[in-house]
Amino acid sequence: GQRRPDLRENSPVMLARSAWAGSQRFGVSVWSGDTSSNFNSLRQQVRAGLNMAMSGIPYWTTDIGGYQGGNIDDYSFRQLIVRWFQFGAFSPFFRNHGRRGANHIDAADECGSTNGSNEIWNFGQEAEEFIAIMMRIREQLRPYVMEQYRAASERAEPIIRPLFYDFWKDDDAAAVEDQFMFGPDYMIAPQLFENATNRTVYLPPGELWVDYFSDGPYIYDTTNKTKGIRVVIPTPLEKFPVFIRAPLHEG
């Protein structure tokens, strides 16, 4: 069944804990193992995913929220899992997984033997609302995501990649470690710090960058610049910097 040609976009995917050079030819997705539920671990996952992609394995994922140490009744964890969902929605594979703790026992709906549940409506109304936004965005991006899967399969293009992959002439882009491209059209700058209300984003030159989450269509124009620009973007819990790389038209 793994190679059935009639399955096409509904083809199964193998999810493995371990992988090595060449695993991508089997259609295997690897995840980063049992990560901890904290912001430091989230920051590590961004680097891990990008390094995996540049090692030739495009199909990668992480346990959204971290696998262990999260308490669903703790606001710090609720903030963390919203931020992790924001990162996860623009990762090659999008999945929530983990052993959750709780201050109460919910035997009918617990995840493992830890008292905690793992459905998004158990993280509080605010977190549920913000996570649902990301779930809808991911679903809307389904055709685009499938395009990136095909590009990875047919042309070995990484799905998520450091800025220097697309902007290889830009020395400043090579130094950016906390932003990435999701395919050729979306630049993602996840908020990776607890309680942070803004973050700086680097925008490479020669492009029109559309702020996805702005209240109105806000465009940063770097088409006539030889150097990129840095902008500070507000990051209330429901938002984070996502920029669309607008097509350029000559004439």
Side-chain angles (χ1 to χ4, degrees), residues 30 50 65 111 122 174 237 246:
V30 62
L50 294 177
C111 177
N122 290 294
L237 187 55

Side-chain angles (χ1 to χ4, degrees), residues 160-230:
I160 58 173
R161 57 268 199 133
L163 300 191
F164 66 74
Y165 182 89
D166 292 271
F167 306 101
W168 51 274
K169 293 182 179 180
D170 183 7
D171 292 339
D172 291 331
V176 178
E177 298 183 348
D178 60 352
Q179 297 173 219
F180 59 93
M181 297 298 293
F182 182 61
D185 297 340
Y186 292 87
M187 176 185 287
I188 313 302
Q191 178 52 267
L192 303 173
F193 291 87
E194 187 173 6
N195 298 324
T197 57
N198 60 66
R199 66 151 293 169
T200 300
V201 179
Y202 177 74
L203 301 176
E207 304 289 341
L208 292 174
W209 297 103
V210 181
D211 187 344
Y212 183 89
F213 280 113
S214 65
D215 294 332
Y218 198 95
I219 298 175
Y220 294 87
D221 187 350
T222 66
T223 54
N224 295 320
K225 296 183 181 297
T226 58
K227 301 283 287 184
I229 63 173
R230 286 177 170 81

Side-chain angles (χ1 to χ4, degrees), residues 109-127:
D109 199 25
E110 66 180 347
C111 177
S113 58
T114 61
N115 299 340
S117 303
N118 207 22
E119 297 82 8
I120 67 169
W121 52 84
N122 290 294
F123 305 144
Q125 182 177 354
E126 180 185 62

Side-chain angles (χ1 to χ4, degrees), residues 3-215:
R3 293 175 178 265
R4 278 177 55 186
D6 58 306
L7 288 177
R8 297 183 181 179
E9 292 189 356
N10 293 320
S11 297
V13 174
M14 292 184 289
L15 181 61
R17 182 183 293 269
S18 301
W20 52 91
S23 293
Q24 70 277 1
R25 71 180 182 274
F26 300 111
V28 172
S29 174
V30 62
W31 92 98
S32 54
D34 296 345
T35 53
S36 298
S37 297
N38 57 61
F39 276 88
N40 183 58
S41 185
L42 173 57
R43 291 189 288 273
Q44 292 174 344
Q45 294 310 294
V46 175
R47 295 191 293 271
L50 294 177
N51 277 278
M52 184 70 77
M54 298 311 294
S55 297
I57 298 179
Y59 308 120
W60 174 87
T61 184
T62 179
D63 291 345
I64 288 177
Y67 178 74
Q68 55 194 358
N71 186 316
I72 65 173
D73 295 317
D74 184 353
Y75 180 75
S76 178
F77 173 76
R78 292 180 175 186
Q79 182 183 159
L80 171 71
I81 200 165
V82 170
R83 294 303 190 191
W84 213 311
F85 260 97
Q86 292 170 349
F87 166 56
F90 292 93
S91 295
F93 287 90
F94 182 43
R95 53 184 284 279
N96 171 30
H97 181 65
R99 297 177 70 246
R100 311 300 184 208
N103 296 336
H104 63 285
I105 296 176
D106 186 5
D109 199 25
E110 66 180 347
C111 177
S113 58
T114 61
N115 299 340
S117 303
N118 207 22
E119 297 82 8
I120 67 169
W121 52 84
N122 290 294
F123 305 144
Q125 182 177 354
E126 180 185 62
E128 178 187 357
E129 176 185 347
F130 298 160
I131 290 170
I133 291 172
M134 301 315 304
M135 294 173 69
R136 294 188 188 100
I137 289 174
R138 179 69 179 208
E139 183 61 25
Q140 292 167 356
L141 286 171
R142 181 187 290 263
Y144 179 80
V145 173
M146 295 307 300
E147 288 180 13
Q148 306 321 306
Y149 291 164
R150 281 189 286 270
S153 176
E154 297 172 3
R155 300 190 297 275
E157 293 187 9
I159 298 168
I160 58 173
R161 57 268 199 133
L163 300 191
F164 66 74
Y165 182 89
D166 292 271
F167 306 101
W168 51 274
K169 293 182 179 180
D170 183 7
D171 292 339
D172 291 331
V176 178
E177 298 183 348
D178 60 352
Q179 297 173 219
F180 59 93
M181 297 298 293
F182 182 61
D185 297 340
Y186 292 87
M187 176 185 287
I188 313 302
Q191 178 52 267
L192 303 173
F193 291 87
E194 187 173 6
N195 298 324
T197 57
N198 60 66
R199 66 151 293 169
T200 300
V201 179
Y202 177 74
L203 301 176
E207 304 289 341
L208 292 174
W209 297 103
V210 181
D211 187 344
Y212 183 89
F213 280 113
S214 65
D215 294 332

